[in-house]
Amino acid sequence: MAPAHDGGHGARWSQDVTEHSDALDLEQDVFTLDDPARIAESLRRSAEASERRKTSPYASAMSMLTFYLNRAGRTLPPERREVLEQAKVELRRLYGRE
């Protein structure tokens, strides 16, 4: 299993991916917002503005949110996880994929 740190600098690799994704430039602290609709809108703006993404804006935005939930969000409290899961629903709604 790979180490959780990047060469002793103390940052988790998942945090590094979230902050320095080649696909999206995320708004700072987007995953800490309390409103699922605002999270989804922010991800949508980031995905649609990106010139580096390799897939559709919807897929890029959903991938980043899912990545955060699966990796960086493993230890999230249930209330926080629910906000982020609801953001996935909002993202689907924004892209007409309900």
Side-chain angles (χ1 to χ4, degrees), residues 4 6 36-37 45 47 67 95:
D6 66 348
R45 279 192 304 273
F67 173 81
Y95 282 98

Side-chain angles (χ1 to χ4, degrees), residues 22-68:
D22 284 336
L24 302 181
D25 292 323
L26 299 176
E27 292 179 22
Q28 188 170 357
D29 300 324
V30 64
F31 296 120
T32 65
L33 297 173
D34 291 328
D35 182 0
R38 286 186 58 209
I39 295 169
E41 264 302 330
S42 176
L43 290 169
R44 181 182 187 183
R45 279 192 304 273
S46 295
E48 291 181 358
S50 176
E51 295 179 8
R52 297 186 316 261
R53 65 180 157 70
K54 295 180 175 108
T55 186
S56 72
Y58 169 75
S60 292
M62 187 61 78
S63 291
M64 189 56 77
L65 181 52
T66 301
F67 173 81
Y68 182 81

